[in-house]
Amino acid sequence: MKKCLIFDADDTLWENNIYFERAIEEFLELILPIAPKRECVLGVLNEVEKESIPLWGYGSRNFINSLVETFRRLYGEHDGAGYLSAIEQIGERLLNHPMDIIPGVSSTLESLRERYRLMLFTKGDVEEQSSKVDRSGLKGHFDCIEITEEKTTDAYHELVQRHILDRDFTFMVGNSPRSDVLPALRAGLWAVFVPHPHTWDLEHEEVEPHPRLLVAQSLRDLPSLLAELFPPQD
Ligand SMILES: [Mg+2]
C-alpha cells in the first residue's frame, strides 16, 4: 500500500489569510471616524467571530457578516447605509481574491505523486473551498479531495476509516497547529508542520515535540524529509 500524504489547503498550498488581513485593514480604515481605537475594533470583531463561527461556520461570507455585526455593535442605532455598502465592497474584493499558489507547491506535489497517495483535506464552506480548489489548478495532483466543517480529531479518525488509511504511514501536512498538526497527532497519524507567518490567530496553539511530528520550513523540503524517514528501496 502506498504511503499517504494529506494536505491542508489554505496557507499551506495557497495564500489565504493575507486576504482576510487585508479586508480587516480596509475595515479598520473605513470605520476610523466612528471607532478610532484599533484594538477595540479588533476585540469586538474577535468576540463576534467566536460567537458566529460555531453557528455559521468559516468562509468569507460569514466573515463579512461578522464585519457588519462588528460595525453595528460599534455604531449603535444610527443609519449606516454608506458604511454597509463599503463593507459589502470589502467583501467582494475578499471573495474574488486571486489564487496565489505558494512557490514550489505544484512541482513538489508533482514529484511526490509517484511514491505517495495524495489527498487534500480542507475545512470551511463547501462551495467556497471547492471553487478555490478548481481555480488553483492543483486538483489533478490529488487522488481525493475532502471538505469538512471543522478538522477535529474525530474528523481525522473518520477520514482514516473512510479511506482505509494506515496510521503508521499517513502524514497530515499543514500550517495550522489547531486544525492540522494537533488533531492529526491525536488521531495517531504523523504530522508535518509547515509554519506560515500569516497564520490566523485562531489557528495558533503550542506545538510540543512529538515522535510523529516533523517540521518543514517549506513544502519543498517535504520530499527529502520523507526520504530520510523512509529511504527509497532500489
Ligand atoms: Mg491552513
Side-chain angles (χ1 to χ4, degrees):
M1 194 203 274
K2 265 187 179 175
K3 298 177 187 77
C4 180
L5 305 178
I6 309 170
F7 288 86
D8 167 53
D10 290 342
D11 295 316
T12 294
L13 304 181
W14 53 69
E15 300 291 350
N16 176 65
N17 201 41
I18 53 167
Y19 295 104
F20 284 85
E21 289 177 351
R22 192 171 296 170
I24 291 171
E25 285 306 319
E26 289 174 356
F27 177 69
L28 286 166
E29 185 134 329
L30 171 73
I31 66 164
L32 201 64
I34 50 170
K37 284 197 182 141
R38 219 186 133 85
E39 306 71 47
C40 164
V41 179
L42 292 175
V44 176
L45 174 60
N46 211 293
E47 253 170 51
V48 171
E49 286 209 275
K50 280 189 176 155
E51 290 166 25
S52 66
I53 290 168
L55 293 173
W56 309 109
Y58 299 92
S60 302
R61 187 40 68 190
N62 296 326
F63 172 77
I64 298 154
N65 292 340
S66 292
L67 291 184
V68 170
E69 177 58 21
T70 301
F71 166 74
R72 290 221 166 95
R73 288 188 191 181
L74 293 165
Y75 200 53
E77 297 304 309
H78 308 283
D79 172 31
Y83 284 107
L84 291 174
S85 90
I87 294 171
E88 204 46 46
Q89 283 165 28
I90 294 173
E92 284 304 309
R93 282 194 288 278
L94 176 63
L95 283 165
N96 297 306
H97 75 71
M99 290 305 296
D100 202 352
I101 308 298
I102 292 173
V105 162
S106 187
S107 55
T108 302
L109 291 174
E110 185 60 44
S111 73
L112 289 166
R113 261 197 97 183
E114 215 176 291
R115 294 190 59 203
Y116 302 92
R117 181 178 174 191
L118 305 186
M119 290 174 59
L120 192 147
F121 190 40
T122 176
K123 73 160 194 241
D125 178 75
V126 173
E127 203 179 312
E128 184 173 10
Q129 293 309 98
S130 315
S131 151
K132 285 197 276 188
V133 172
D134 286 342
R135 287 186 288 138
S136 72
L138 298 174
K139 202 171 179 173
H141 292 300
F142 296 100
D143 299 300
C144 111
I145 291 164
E146 292 241 359
I147 301 169
T148 182
E149 254 175 50
E150 195 71 80
K151 283 156 51 172
T152 58
T153 305
D154 280 347
Y156 283 94
H157 280 304
E158 285 161 23
L159 191 73
V160 165
Q161 280 162 10
R162 212 164 34 248
H163 295 278
I164 318 168
L165 303 175
D166 182 340
R167 287 177 169 81
D168 293 337
F169 298 102
T170 300
F171 295 74
M172 177 65 206
V173 184
N175 72 302
S176 167
R178 189 175 76 90
S179 299
D180 304 321
V181 175
L182 299 174
L185 291 174
R186 285 186 206 115
L189 308 175
W190 289 80
V192 184
F193 181 29
V194 191
H196 186 296
H198 288 272
T199 294
W200 186 28
D201 289 349
L202 294 187
E203 297 295 346
H204 282 295
E205 240 175 90
E206 201 60 46
V207 177
E208 306 278 350
H210 186 287
R212 289 203 165 187
L213 171 66
L214 308 174
V215 180
Q217 290 316 311
S218 152
L219 223 61
R220 284 190 177 115
D221 302 337
L222 195 55
S224 57
L225 263 180
L226 293 168
E228 267 174 43
L229 209 58
F230 302 107
Q233 295 149 349
D234 293 318

